[in-house]
Amino acid sequence: MSRRALRRLRGEQRGQEPLGPDALRFDLLEDDDADDEGPKPGLGGRRPGAAGKEGVRVNNRFELINMEDLEDGLVVNGERSDATLPDSVSSGNKGRAQRGNPETKQDGDVANAGFPEQSNASGKLRKKKKKQKNKKSCPGESSENGLEDIDRILERIEDSSGFSHPGPPPLSSRKHILYVEHRHLNPDTELKRYFGARAVLGEQRPRQRQRVYPKCAWLTTPKSTWPRYSKPGLSMRLLESKKGLSFFAFEHSEEYQQAQHKFLVAVESMEPNNIVVLLQTNPYHVDSLLQLSDACRFQEDQEMARDLIERALYSMECAFHPLFSLTSGTCRLDYRRPENRSFYLALYKQMSFLEKRGCPRTALEYCKLILSLEPDEDPLCMLLLIDHLALRARNYEYLIRLFQEWEAHRNLSQLPNFAFSVPLAYFLLSQQTDLPEHELTSARQQASLLIQQALTMFPGVLMPLLECCSVRPDATVSNHHFFGPDAEISQPPALSQLVSLYLGRSHFLWKEPATMSWLEENVREVLQAVDAGDPAVEACENRRKVLYQRAPRNIHRHVILSEIKEAVAALPSDVTTQSVMGFDPLPPLDTIYSYVRPERLSPVSHGNTIALFFRSLLPNYTTEGERLEEGVARGPNRNQGLNRLMLAVRDMMANFHFNDLEGELCST
């Protein structure tokens, strides 16, 4: 840059020279720019031994800041294309001189450098930035390269061992099948696809649809009618991280533990109003919200029941650990911890409401989320439900992929629901017209093969299925010993329970005429194989006798939560005789307790005869000191004498009545 241009920028007059020939001298060009431009003659502007570089003499180094600001303003306000940018400073100055005021050449190094608020320095800096921009985005480079770099980084992160932040697993991992999509957790997304945004949101204004809560939630949308949120004492901590999995656990503070003890007393009183009173002081106590939701549902108040479940989910989501991810499929919650069970049950109840509401795609995401929290143990046995939701959501590819990836280590074909749902998914996939012909033919053949294997393994499913679909079978089928009444009677009780669960939930999926015709064809094929003495028939019969001796506890828990009458009626007596609480149905036998509920002394043990007398008249009567404690004494054989006395007094009072008109006791 010439000294004349610098003087114009600084506002100096001619004759003001620097202190020395090399004083306070800074290079504005890098080696690459200097080499491209080539050597330029100048007067005293060269550093000895530095050919190809041009220095700028300044008295105050901070004056260069103004020059950079000026250059930035020129570039932003006057954008130039690549074609108009000069290849050298001299040619650029010559082109710009046509728009400015021409100046005489001095010292042989400046050509037409004078124009208002522009200089050679700005042109050189602009050329430098343009070159850097071209280096960053060259013509042969695209955005795909950046994506490939990101993929390589993610692969290196997944390959590394030790503590890792929860994130979505790679496509090659089998856990990726449990990946949950955030946008499908919102039921409004599915309803908008069915009915449109205006029908879902109504006539609300955009301002009214905005959240009034600062906390962003994925599972629910907070409502303005809810009580003001304050931390109820619920939190989450990271227990450990190993093999790419992170194990978390909810924790209760001392205040929350006191509320939990009060809740247990309210549940044992069998009075929902006591839970309402507890929620007035603890509006976000999760177990109270779950239990009261069941009470509202039994009273046919579905809207209030769903609202209470959403409030419970919001309370638990606000307590999430920063590393806890809903969608990655790598975060685990141990169901043996009572603090974690509330989250499982809240998700399950919300999923049930979404299915009844007509949002099977959203319910499928909730089902995947529950299964991802503990896929090996599967405490709520979501594998008995996920196939049904996938078929209802018409997500046939997902169900087929789940079966292919998990069949080797989970034996999904041994469950009646998967044995029949997967071939049905193949058949429905073959009915689609947007697939190539060879794919449709392959899907139809695979469907026929799998349904024949299912009918051979579970012959007791056919006749109840036809009965549920109101279809009268052919005499050849109904009179055959393989599909006759003996097939249903001879199957083990545990298998009968699974069959009842599947038929009670998914029988309507088979009512289509095309589906029934396809089923009829394969039934005849199975009968021919049975009559021909196929050895696979006998092998399946022996397998049924061995595998289905007794259903595990998680299946019984799932049947209780499903509330399907046929399946509940098939529960064994040792399960039906137990007291089942809605907030914790059939707790695991190996429960891990983080704190113990304090015991209390029953008033019976104190020998309080008056309290015992009033308790016999009013079963819900408690003294002031008992309202925060249990209402039932521990141990069935405690104070049997006073218990007999209580029964005697109760029988005596049953033989009398009080006459309000005469004010006297009259014997009956």
Side-chain angles (χ1 to χ4, degrees):
M1 173 182 289
S2 66
R3 289 172 294 177
R4 183 191 298 270
L6 283 176
R7 284 198 300 270
R8 284 179 177 272
L9 290 174
R10 296 197 299 264
E12 297 177 354
Q13 299 296 329
R14 170 173 278 182
Q16 295 181 355
E17 299 294 335
L19 297 177
D22 296 326
L24 296 176
R25 192 163 153 197
F26 298 91
D27 294 332
L28 293 179
L29 296 178
E30 296 179 355
D31 296 340
D32 297 339
D33 298 329
D35 294 337
D36 294 338
E37 294 176 4
K40 295 182 181 180
L43 293 177
R46 296 209 177 266
R47 182 183 302 174
K53 291 188 178 181
E54 183 177 357
V56 177
R57 300 167 180 258
V58 294
N59 291 327
N60 186 358
R61 67 181 68 184
F62 298 104
E63 293 175 357
L64 295 176
I65 300 176
N66 298 329
M67 185 166 57
E68 294 176 358
D69 295 339
L70 175 61
E71 202 285 324
D72 293 338
L74 293 174
V75 173
V76 173
N77 298 329
E79 296 179 355
R80 301 179 185 273
S81 62
D82 295 340
T84 59
L85 276 177
D87 294 333
S88 63
V89 176
S90 59
S91 61
N93 291 338
K94 184 181 296 184
R96 289 192 296 272
Q98 298 176 1
R99 298 189 301 271
N101 298 326
E103 297 288 342
T104 60
K105 296 183 180 180
Q106 293 185 1
D107 300 332
D109 61 337
V110 178
N112 300 331
F115 55 90
E117 299 182 0
Q118 290 187 359
S119 63
N120 288 340
S122 63
K124 293 176 183 179
L125 289 176
R126 185 162 55 248
K127 180 177 180 297
K128 173 183 175 181
K129 289 190 175 182
K130 190 63 179 178
K131 284 187 176 182
Q132 292 177 354
K133 181 178 179 181
N134 291 336
K135 290 179 181 179
K136 291 181 180 178
S137 57
C138 58
E141 193 173 333
S142 63
S143 61
E144 295 179 356
N145 296 333
L147 295 178
E148 292 176 358
D149 295 339
I150 295 175
D151 293 338
R152 285 195 295 268
I153 293 174
L154 292 176
E155 289 177 0
R156 288 197 298 269
I157 293 176
E158 292 295 336
D159 293 338
S160 61
S161 59
F163 182 84
S164 61
H165 298 290
L171 293 176
S172 59
S173 174
R174 68 178 178 88
K175 294 297 183 183
H176 183 73
I177 198 67
L178 300 179
Y179 181 77
V180 179
E181 299 183 25
H182 270 146
R183 62 190 182 95
H184 288 307
L185 290 175
N186 187 2
D188 291 342
T189 303
E190 186 173 3
L191 293 176
K192 289 176 185 177
R193 188 168 68 250
Y194 295 154
F195 308 108
R198 182 174 295 275
V200 175
L201 299 178
E203 299 298 331
Q204 299 179 3
R205 296 179 180 179
R207 291 183 179 179
Q208 295 177 351
R209 293 197 295 264
Q210 292 179 356
R211 288 193 180 119
V212 297
Y213 284 74
K215 177 69 176 179
C216 179
W218 289 106
L219 297 176
T220 58
T221 301
K223 301 178 181 179
S224 58
T225 57
W226 290 357
R228 183 177 181 84
Y229 178 79
S230 60
K231 292 184 178 180
L234 188 65
S235 61
M236 179 186 284
R237 68 185 178 97
L238 176 62
L239 299 178
E240 61 177 345
S241 181
K242 59 182 180 180
K243 297 181 180 180
L245 303 177
S246 300
F247 297 85
F248 296 87
F250 283 97
E251 286 186 333
H252 295 171
S253 64
E254 294 183 0
E255 180 182 358
Y256 197 93
Q257 292 178 16
Q258 295 297 328
Q260 188 73 11
H261 299 331
K262 295 179 183 179
F263 163 73
L264 296 177
V265 174
V267 170
E268 291 175 351
S269 67
M270 304 299 292
E271 181 59 43
N273 292 331
N274 295 339
I275 302 179
V276 175
V277 172
L278 178 60
L279 285 175
Q280 291 177 355
T281 56
N282 300 275
Y284 286 93
H285 183 259
V286 178
D287 286 344
S288 298
L289 293 171
L290 296 179
Q291 190 70 19
L292 189 59
S293 174
D294 288 342
C296 294
R297 186 164 52 86
F298 293 150
Q299 297 176 2
E300 302 299 331
D301 192 354
Q302 301 292 334
E303 187 68 25
M304 177 60 67
R306 185 171 68 247
D307 185 78
L308 293 173
I309 294 297
E310 292 179 355
R311 198 199 304 182
L313 284 174
Y314 180 75
S315 177
M316 304 198 78
E317 188 173 358
C318 291
F320 281 173
H321 192 276
L323 297 180
F324 185 80
S325 174
L326 290 171
T327 61
S328 65
T330 59
C331 297
R332 301 289 183 263
L333 285 176
D334 194 349
Y335 192 81
R336 295 177 298 173
R337 297 179 178 271
E339 297 86 356
N340 296 340
R341 296 174 199 163
S342 302
F343 187 56
Y344 278 90
L345 296 174
L347 290 175
Y348 187 93
K349 294 178 185 297
Q350 177 71 354
M351 177 194 64
S352 301
F353 282 122
L354 291 172
E355 183 186 4
K356 296 176 182 178
R357 192 180 176 185
C359 301
R361 184 67 182 86
T362 310
L364 176 62
E365 294 300 313
Y366 273 83
C367 185
K368 289 159 56 178
L369 174 57
I370 299 173
L371 184 59
S372 68
L373 296 177
E374 200 170 358
D376 295 332
E377 298 296 333
D378 194 10
L380 298 185
C381 210
M382 303 309 296
L383 288 177
L384 298 178
L385 177 61
I386 191 170
D387 62 297
H388 169 75
L389 295 176
L391 290 175
R392 285 201 59 189
R394 299 182 180 180
N395 198 348
Y396 311 129
E397 295 84 356
Y398 175 79
L399 177 58
I400 294 172
R401 182 182 177 186
L402 176 64
F403 178 77
Q404 292 175 349
E405 294 186 9
W406 281 29
E407 167 62 18
H409 65 283
R410 298 298 293 268
N411 293 326
L412 297 182
S413 60
Q414 305 304 313
L415 296 174
N417 58 311
F418 267 94
F420 283 86
S421 294
V422 173
L424 180 60
Y426 272 110
F427 173 75
L428 296 176
L429 193 63
S430 67
Q431 301 298 306
Q432 298 181 358
T433 58
D434 55 346
L435 295 178
E437 185 65 27
H438 67 279
E439 293 186 7
L440 297 178
T441 304
S442 176
R444 182 65 178 262
Q445 294 176 355
Q446 188 69 14
S448 300
L449 176 62
L450 291 178
I451 193 62
Q452 292 176 19
Q453 295 177 359
L455 291 171
T456 305
M457 182 65 188
F458 307 104
V461 177
L462 179 62
M463 299 306 294
L465 175 61
L466 297 178
E467 183 179 357
C468 292
C469 296
S470 301
V471 175
R472 178 176 297 179
D474 190 3
T476 306
V477 177
S478 59
N479 296 331
H480 200 281
H481 69 278
F482 188 73
F483 289 118
D486 294 339
E488 185 179 359
I489 298 174
S490 61
Q491 61 187 6
L495 180 58
S496 300
Q497 184 176 350
L498 294 176
V499 171
S500 301
L501 183 66
Y502 173 70
L503 295 178
R505 177 179 284 155
S506 304
H507 66 88
F508 63 91
L509 299 174
W510 295 82
K511 288 187 175 182
E512 294 294 330
T515 304
M516 275 295 169
S517 299
W518 165 72
L519 179 62
E520 182 181 1
E521 296 176 2
N522 290 278
V523 167
R524 297 187 182 279
E525 294 290 335
V526 172
L527 288 179
Q528 293 178 4
V530 172
D531 295 337
D534 191 346
V537 177
E538 185 178 358
C540 291
E541 183 179 359
N542 296 332
R543 198 179 303 128
R544 286 196 301 270
K545 296 179 180 179
V546 175
L547 295 179
Y548 305 98
Q549 296 296 328
R550 179 176 175 83
R553 195 173 181 86
N554 60 341
I555 292 182
H556 294 160
R557 191 181 297 119
H558 178 88
V559 171
I560 293 174
L561 290 173
S562 67
E563 298 180 355
I564 297 177
K565 297 180 180 179
E566 297 82 1
V568 174
L571 287 172
S573 58
D574 59 340
V575 176
T576 56
T577 54
Q578 298 181 18
S579 59
V580 179
M581 297 296 179
F583 67 94
D584 190 10
L586 294 182
L589 301 178
D590 54 347
T591 300
I592 301 176
Y593 293 101
S594 58
Y595 62 93
V596 182
R597 180 183 178 186
E599 297 185 5
R600 74 170 185 89
L601 293 177
S602 175
V604 177
S605 62
H606 287 286
N608 192 340
T609 309
I610 298 177
L612 181 63
F613 176 74
F614 282 106
R615 188 184 297 274
S616 65
L617 300 178
L618 303 173
N620 293 333
Y621 169 79
T622 56
T623 59
E624 185 67 23
E626 301 170 11
R627 293 177 182 175
L628 301 180
E629 302 174 352
E630 293 188 25
V632 179
R634 298 182 181 273
N637 298 324
R638 183 177 297 177
N639 301 302
Q640 296 181 359
L642 291 177
N643 289 334
R644 287 195 296 268
L645 177 61
M646 179 182 68
L647 295 176
V649 173
R650 184 179 301 176
D651 294 338
M652 180 182 65
M653 296 300 297
N655 295 327
F656 292 89
H657 70 275
F658 186 77
N659 193 331
D660 293 332
L661 298 177
E662 299 178 1
E664 59 182 2
L665 287 173
C666 300
S667 176
T668 58

